[in-house]
Amino acid sequence: MSDEQATVAERFERSDEALRDWERRINAGEEVDVWDTTNAGIGIIKDLIKAYLEVLDRDWEGTEDDLLALWKVAVKKNPSLNTIRDNCRELIYYYNCVDMDRRDALPENAHKQAVRTARHVYLYLRTRAEEAGALEKYQGLGAG
């Protein structure tokens, strides 16, 4: 199911499942790379912000591939979303460190922290969506 066809509730469920899988793998002692967990975290958060922007009935066209640009759209007229700004920036920092071959600049256990950071954003946005009644509202309303 594509993002356009998934309901808000399905997108939150999909994100939760992906995070649970990463958490399971890490807790089982599987060696996972910070590049993989960071990219997964960024993808999950982008999808969650898009889902929340649907709840807010806000357009994000032109920003869909940029996590910080999506956050800026979400925080406009909704300053409480400043709460997740540092989480988004943290993941971008991890991404840039690996991309620039500067793994030495990463904190210890950055691979775990990337997943924890994405989980924090998930919990925050899910709570906001639940408070807005959006998860029930959108349940079963996929375009499929």
Side-chain angles (χ1 to χ4, degrees), residues 34-35 37-39 42 87-103 105-117:
V34 65
W35 182 251
T37 59
T38 298
N39 279 305
I42 289 171
N87 299 112
C88 296
R89 292 175 71 186
E90 180 179 357
L91 287 175
I92 298 300
Y93 174 77
Y94 292 176
Y95 178 93
N96 288 336
C97 284
V98 177
D99 190 51
M100 297 181 331
D101 199 24
R102 287 296 318 270
R103 288 175 183 250
L106 290 168
E108 189 175 332
N109 295 316
H111 63 291
K112 293 178 183 179
Q113 190 59 35
V115 175
R116 287 185 190 120
T117 298

Side-chain angles (χ1 to χ4, degrees), residues 15-24 44 115 118-119 122:
S15 296
D16 186 38
E17 288 174 11
L19 288 168
R20 276 189 272 136
D21 184 54
W22 280 109
E23 291 161 345
R24 180 196 53 76
I44 288 167
V115 175
R119 173 60 77 188
Y122 165 83

Side-chain angles (χ1 to χ4, degrees), residues 9-136:
E10 289 167 337
R11 291 168 88 161
F12 274 92
E13 181 60 30
R14 180 177 61 205
S15 296
D16 186 38
E17 288 174 11
L19 288 168
R20 276 189 272 136
D21 184 54
W22 280 109
E23 291 161 345
R24 180 196 53 76
R25 292 172 63 187
I26 289 169
N27 291 335
E30 184 177 328
E31 286 194 35
V32 295
D33 189 71
V34 65
W35 182 251
D36 297 330
T37 59
T38 298
N39 279 305
I42 289 171
I44 288 167
I45 293 173
K46 286 193 310 190
D47 192 44
L48 290 171
I49 291 174
K50 289 175 192 176
Y52 193 65
L53 286 169
E54 277 186 42
V55 170
L56 299 175
D57 197 28
R58 304 274 276 298
D59 181 26
W60 64 83
E61 189 173 329
T63 62
E64 51 272 332
D65 292 328
D66 184 331
L67 176 58
L68 294 177
L70 279 167
W71 170 80
K72 286 178 185 176
V73 170
V75 78
K76 196 176 265 183
K77 297 182 185 175
N78 198 349
S80 65
L81 288 178
N82 275 313
T83 302
I84 65 169
R85 179 190 65 197
D86 289 341
N87 299 112
C88 296
R89 292 175 71 186
E90 180 179 357
L91 287 175
I92 298 300
Y93 174 77
Y94 292 176
Y95 178 93
N96 288 336
C97 284
V98 177
D99 190 51
M100 297 181 331
D101 199 24
R102 287 296 318 270
R103 288 175 183 250
D104 61 307
L106 290 168
E108 189 175 332
N109 295 316
H111 63 291
K112 293 178 183 179
Q113 190 59 35
V115 175
R116 287 185 190 120
T117 298
R119 173 60 77 188
H120 171 79
V121 173
Y122 165 83
L123 291 170
Y124 182 79
L125 291 176
R126 180 173 179 97
T127 300
R128 298 294 305 258
E130 285 175 355
E131 288 172 350
L135 296 184
E136 297 80 21

